[in-house]
Amino acid sequence: MSPHAHNIVTIIGLIIGDLLTKYYVIAYAFLMFTDSWFRLMSRTLYVCLLVLTFFGILNLLTKDSIVLTMMGNTFGEKIASLDRMRVVALFNYPFDYGYMCVMSLLITIYNQKRKLLTNNAILISYICSGIGIVICGCRTIFVLAGICLLLYYMINYSVFKALRAISICVIMGIGAYFMIPSVKDKVDTTLTAFTFEETEEDSGSSLVGRILQYDTAINYIQEHKIFGRGYRFFQKDLGYDKNGNGMFDLPTEARPLLGLEGAIMKLILENGYFGVICYLLFYIIMIRYSLKLCRYSKLDGSMAAIILTAYLLYGNMTGELSSSIITFILSGIFLKKSDICRIEYLKRCRNLEEHQSSNGSLQIA
């Protein structure tokens, strides 16, 4: 539907960007998975988490990202001037750093349950993941971590055990809120995202800001509701960042869109309601399939479902940014691990039926 997708170069770029290096990554991970590969990946992620935490703390102390500064990116200077400090560590955005720490938290829980790392490595992983979630300075990440833990306990434990674990966390959280000033500030800042109040710093990220963004996107497709305004309409036709000024290069009436901070928001504008329906169907089917596999391996199936849910929420709270690859690799791995358990279960059932059948024949004879 877009005049910017009617040449072979753009079409190839779209296929590579949206399929081969994004959604198809689930298939790659599913086909390539082996147990030895996962053990190696767990150890590699542990080392990467240590390096990431080192640069995160360094970023926090110096109020600058050494790596970004060396690459000529001025974002480090911008985060240093903000009242609400945000840490990017080795990423372009603090959201990505926080998201990777949420994924690391989930992998650490899994490694602990499967005993894939030593107790010391598990403890250090928990500490490093927690540090990243806190110091990245993003309310989205704080909420996302809480939702992931809540889903994990609800799926993997009985109602009584889940309520007990949640109650303990709530009591500890309330105590930390009243006793630790930094925790109180973090919670208060997070709660402002669910109000209709908006500060200059948090413009667009509060509830009223999000409503305005979606309203603006819907207004732009009044005559193109089914398929939207087409591929790259935001960058090419509206002119986002065409002169390097971000949203300020947009027409005044389009500036509430900011940077299209939500996957569904972008789909509404460029792919219409058809694109939104396809997008939601994909994740509903994948999450439903993951939950069905919980019958054969509750831990593996739940991890796939939680990671996909986290990505769906993250992508619509702040945008997908650089989170796609790690999400779909992990999703593919846990889906494969669950599927292996399913195949083994079916084999055991067949063997049992054959054994019972042969015993029955012998008795008749």
Side-chain angles (χ1 to χ4, degrees), residues 15 57 66-67 70 185 199 205 244 258-259 270 279 307 326 342 347 364:
I15 292 171
I57 293 173
I66 295 174
V67 176
M70 289 175 61
D185 291 340
T199 65
S205 61
L258 297 179
E270 299 191 347
Y279 171 85
I307 288 170
I326 186 67
R342 180 186 66 84
K347 283 182 179 178
I364 292 171

Side-chain angles (χ1 to χ4, degrees), residues 169-226:
C169 291
V170 169
I171 292 170
M172 291 175 63
I174 292 172
Y177 178 82
F178 288 106
M179 297 173 64
I180 304 174
S182 60
V183 173
K184 184 179 185 303
D185 291 340
K186 176 64 68 176
V187 173
D188 289 344
T189 302
T190 300
L191 290 176
T192 60
F194 303 99
T195 68
F196 285 92
E197 298 178 1
E198 190 176 55
T199 65
E200 183 178 349
E201 181 192 351
D202 298 324
S203 178
S205 61
S206 66
L207 192 58
V208 66
R210 281 290 184 264
I211 291 173
L212 181 59
Q213 286 178 307
Y214 277 101
D215 185 56
T216 304
I218 291 171
N219 283 337
Y220 267 98
I221 64 161
Q222 286 305 303
E223 297 179 2
H224 307 79
K225 291 181 180 179
I226 297 178

